[in-house]
Amino acid sequence: MILMRTAGLTHVYDKKPVLKDINLEINNSEVFAVIGPTGAGKTTLLRLLDFLETPTSGSIYFDGVDVTGSARLRVDIRRRMSFVHQRPLVFSMSVYDNVACGLRWRRQRRDVIRRKVDNALEMVNLAEYRERNAKNLSGGETQRVAIARALVTEPELLFLDEPTANLDPISTAKVEEVLSRVIRERKTTIIMATHNMAQGQRLADRIGVIVSGEISQIGSPNEIFCLPANMEVAEFVGVENILKGVITGKEDNLVTIRINSSAIQAISDFEIGETVYALIRPEDITFTLAKGRTSARNVFEGKIIKIAQVGPLARIEADCGFPLLGVVTKRSADELGLKVGSRIQASSKATAVHVIKRWA
Amino acid sequence: MLAIWQGFLKAIELIITLNPEVLEITARTLVISISSTVIATLMCLPLGSLIHFNNFHGKRTLINLVQTFYSVPTVAVGLIVFLIFSRSGPLGFMELLFTPQVMVIGQIILIFPVILGLVIAALTGVDPAAYETAIAMGASQFQATTIVIREARYAIYSAVILGFGRAISEVGLALMVGGNIRGYTRVMTTAISLETSKGDIILSIALGLILISLALIINFSLSRLQQRWR
């Protein structure tokens, strides 16, 4: 069942469009992540959906009701939602009072407030901080107060705007753990904006990619990361092998793409003569030293031109007539004796190559 | 110098022995000044919020104008209030001139710009995200405004204390519209002024000491309040 829907949502700041024709449908109990580069319009979208700003045009429906026009209705509906900001502001009062604010504004009974606040503080592991002045907490603790404050009102829809953007890895892990519990135990509908793709992948049921104020693609995390709809999405989700080519052959759905002097095979519906991009994720590239037999459809001979270590992984750049980037574990790279100048054989399956249309 | 020292000791004696005249003047001074401060604060909080939370043409000019009136001379306010409430003035029919009530009115006019200007400054000093955070948490506009005022409370306390300080320490207005009538409109500042001119410095020193003590007590209380949550 659809909880929130937008129709033709457009927003303009200083004559500059920041959101263009946004059409979204958010289902009940769903976690929907809005990902996109900084400045793409993610926060503006969340602010419009929480009625903190009024859209220049378009409509927002909550539970089937058009909420866009009525100020009174907006307040009522906003009380069924909560918002956790990127840099949450806590009020200069105790942690307990900060979390209790929303309930007091909803005129709940004192004993109900006490019970709910205690539960919320337990949930975010801040029970022992209840009497502390919230202004004196660390960034991670402040974020957890903000989450407790948002959860305590038992919202039907929770907005999270970059909930871990300014946190260290340990605090990020704690906040994600809390969010995972909320998703698991409360079945709250969540719309989260993040530029952390891995976080979106970990927490979301569906992802919408927003680029330059427009929704470029909506799909499951797997679709977004493996089958990006266009160049912008591909670049944003970390597809680093983006190869320009032309389809020169087709047999059923197996197409041959000419890239410089090489050819790549992929599964695609495009026809012969169409100009395309072949997208291959670095982790789908396999390297071997000697020429050997492989079941992979695409095998390229080449030479390593750069090796960079990233944590436990080694990023290997090879010249195969076109630049090709792959990732192997540092240990594998050592065992294979990969070094700059080594002749290698790079391979990938035809199914690992995603083909998108290239407009001239 | 000896005379001043002796006067100082006698003044302390007057305070310790709870001299009825000293007590009566002090009580009246406090009632008038606290009344004017409370009324002015009750007027300035909503008005200051209204100005702060709304954008309108001429807002900056209005704030500048309010700030200009911070240093308006007390005798100028006294003269205006005198003219308004004198028998031939527009509010002369109320027969309030030379009463404690008109002194309260005069002091409200005197401290109104100070408290209003500082309330606006205090609200401006609060992170703008506070209002929006409250709105996002489901607060109504009134509830969100209240939380912002709460966030600005220490700066607002300072504004109120400053207003009270100006009210309790002014002399020109109290003389002009109160008339310094013994047992009725005589307050500490007018009494000090009169007794000093008469050469009775003992009462003047006693009242002066009380005035300074009041200022100290109020300032210490404010500091303690501010430190409590730091």
Side-chain angles (χ1 to χ4, degrees):
Chain A
M1 192 185 143
I2 294 167
L3 182 65
M4 182 170 255
R5 183 167 74 82
T6 69
L9 207 61
T10 297
H11 199 53
V12 176
Y13 275 133
D14 293 333
K15 295 179 183 169
K16 194 179 152 203
V18 284
L19 286 177
K20 299 166 211 162
D21 192 28
I22 305 288
N23 297 292
L24 282 178
E25 286 184 351
I26 310 297
N27 300 313
N28 251 321
S29 305
E30 168 179 53
V31 180
F32 185 85
V34 181
I35 66 170
T38 305
K42 304 186 292 291
T43 300
T44 306
L45 176 61
L46 260 60
R47 289 170 60 79
L48 292 179
L49 297 180
D50 195 34
F51 313 116
L52 293 173
E53 289 185 50
T54 308
T56 308
S57 64
S59 300
I60 302 168
Y61 298 84
F62 187 87
D63 228 355
V65 180
D66 184 357
V67 193
T68 329
S70 161
R72 177 73 231 162
L73 205 55
R74 280 205 297 270
V75 176
D76 289 344
I77 299 290
R78 199 187 289 122
R79 288 192 167 176
R80 294 164 66 182
M81 314 193 288
S82 279
F83 198 115
V84 177
H85 290 87
Q86 182 176 355
R87 283 192 183 83
L89 180 137
V90 285
F91 303 124
S92 179
M93 51 178 80
S94 70
V95 168
Y96 179 92
D97 285 333
N98 262 281
V99 179
C101 267
L103 296 171
R104 288 186 184 133
W105 288 330
R106 287 164 176 80
R107 310 222 179 282
Q108 299 225 355
R109 286 203 338 258
R110 191 173 285 196
D111 56 322
V112 175
I113 292 174
R114 188 173 299 125
R115 180 173 48 78
K116 286 186 175 178
V117 172
D118 286 343
N119 287 344
L121 288 177
E122 285 285 340
M123 185 154 212
V124 297
N125 297 320
L126 284 177
E128 70 272 31
Y129 288 65
R130 68 203 302 279
E131 297 307 329
R132 279 219 212 159
N133 186 341
K135 287 275 184 198
N136 298 333
L137 300 178
S138 70
E141 289 159 352
T142 301
Q143 191 64 281
R144 281 188 281 155
V145 170
I147 291 171
R149 205 166 56 178
L151 293 177
V152 77
T153 57
E154 294 164 5
E156 291 168 56
L157 178 55
L158 174 63
F159 295 101
L160 302 167
D161 184 12
E162 305 271 11
T164 58
N166 304 303
L167 303 183
D168 58 77
I170 295 170
S171 302
T172 298
K174 282 184 181 173
V175 168
E176 276 195 20
E177 187 192 316
V178 169
L179 293 177
S180 300
R181 276 182 67 189
V182 172
I183 293 164
R184 209 170 48 238
E185 293 171 15
R186 297 202 177 186
K187 305 272 182 226
T188 308
T189 307
I190 295 176
I191 302 179
M192 66 184 294
T194 181
H195 64 257
N196 182 339
M197 290 175 296
Q199 188 172 63
Q201 219 170 356
R202 279 194 296 272
L203 298 175
D205 299 313
R206 280 194 309 147
I207 293 178
V209 186
I210 188 165
V211 181
S212 304
E214 286 179 278
I215 296 281
S216 292
Q217 188 177 0
I218 294 176
S220 69
N222 194 47
E223 283 167 348
I224 297 293
F225 289 93
C226 297
L227 307 169
N230 54 40
M231 268 288 286
E232 287 82 12
V233 177
E235 280 175 346
F236 183 72
V237 299
V239 179
E240 290 173 275
N241 295 305
I242 300 173
L243 310 168
K244 276 185 190 176
V246 181
I247 295 184
T248 53
K250 186 170 185 184
E251 203 174 301
D252 294 330
N253 280 340
L254 186 69
V255 295
T256 303
I257 306 163
R258 169 75 40 200
I259 294 165
N260 298 340
S261 56
S262 306
I264 288 183
Q265 290 195 310
I267 305 296
S268 170
D269 290 330
F270 289 113
E271 298 300 328
I272 292 173
E274 288 197 80
T275 52
V276 294
Y277 286 111
L279 312 176
I280 315 173
R281 296 193 70 88
E283 54 271 26
D284 289 329
I285 303 284
T286 310
F287 291 105
T288 49
L289 269 183
K291 283 184 186 177
R293 291 176 66 82
T294 167
S295 63
R297 284 263 174 196
N298 299 306
V299 181
F300 317 108
E301 301 287 325
K303 192 170 75 174
I304 293 176
I305 52 173
K306 191 176 173 187
I307 299 178
Q309 198 178 326
V310 184
L313 301 175
R315 285 165 57 89
I316 294 170
E317 265 183 71
D319 179 5
C320 303
F322 53 85
L324 194 67
L325 181 81
V327 181
V328 295
T329 61
K330 171 80 173 51
R331 196 171 165 188
S332 300
D334 290 342
E335 281 172 5
L336 282 169
L338 298 180
K339 54 183 186 288
V340 173
S342 300
R343 300 289 310 174
I344 45 95
Q345 181 177 279
S347 55
S348 82
K349 291 180 178 176
T351 50
V353 182
H354 176 54
V355 185
I356 58 173
K357 178 74 186 160
R358 175 161 61 98
W359 304 99
Chain B
M1 189 65 198
L2 189 67
I4 294 172
W5 180 243
Q6 281 174 342
F8 186 76
L9 292 177
K10 284 210 166 183
I12 291 175
E13 191 186 319
L14 281 182
I15 296 168
I16 292 170
T17 57
L18 301 175
N19 177 276
E21 192 177 6
V22 171
L23 282 186
E24 181 239 295
I25 293 172
T26 306
R28 183 178 305 111
T29 306
L30 285 174
V31 168
I32 290 174
S33 300
I34 289 173
S35 305
S36 57
T37 308
V38 168
I39 296 168
T41 304
L42 290 177
M43 291 162 76
C44 289
L45 272 182
L47 188 62
S49 306
L50 208 64
I51 294 170
H52 172 71
F53 288 110
N54 290 287
N55 287 320
F56 52 89
H57 193 65
K59 178 174 173 175
R60 194 64 251 166
T61 312
L62 177 67
I63 294 171
N64 285 339
L65 201 67
V66 169
Q67 287 168 342
T68 308
F69 279 101
Y70 282 6
S71 53
V72 65
T74 58
V75 285
V77 177
L79 180 63
I80 293 164
V81 176
F82 182 88
L83 292 173
I84 291 171
F85 286 95
S86 65
R87 227 168 250 289
S88 53
L91 298 178
F93 66 93
M94 295 174 81
E95 298 185 342
L96 284 177
L97 202 59
F98 306 128
T99 63
Q101 290 90 318
V102 83
M103 291 169 78
V104 171
I105 293 170
Q107 285 188 357
I108 291 171
I109 295 170
L110 184 70
I111 64 175
F112 187 85
V114 177
I115 299 182
L116 181 64
L118 293 178
V119 162
I120 295 170
L123 295 174
T124 309
V126 175
D127 189 332
Y131 183 84
E132 196 178 278
T133 299
I135 291 286
M137 286 168 65
S140 64
Q141 283 187 340
F142 176 75
Q143 288 166 331
T145 304
T146 311
I147 201 86
V148 173
I149 291 174
R150 196 182 188 282
E151 289 294 288
R153 61 193 179 278
Y154 297 121
I156 291 173
Y157 293 156
S158 299
V160 173
I161 297 296
L162 212 67
F164 177 74
R166 186 152 161 82
I168 203 169
S169 62
E170 70 80 24
V171 60
L173 173 89
L175 265 178
M176 288 179 80
V177 302
N180 198 17
I181 302 164
R182 188 175 192 175
Y184 188 48
T185 59
R186 183 163 297 173
V187 289
M188 284 195 275
T189 51
T190 56
I192 291 169
S193 170
L194 180 73
E195 298 305 325
T196 307
S197 65
K198 279 164 50 185
D200 180 4
I201 62 159
I202 295 172
L203 186 60
S204 299
I205 293 173
L207 293 171
L209 282 175
I210 293 172
L211 258 180
I212 293 167
S213 306
L214 278 173
L216 282 174
I217 290 167
I218 289 164
N219 269 307
F220 275 128
S221 310
L222 185 70
S223 299
R224 276 191 67 89
L225 206 64
Q226 285 177 328
Q227 280 164 3
R228 238 179 65 190
W229 267 92
R230 294 276 157 86

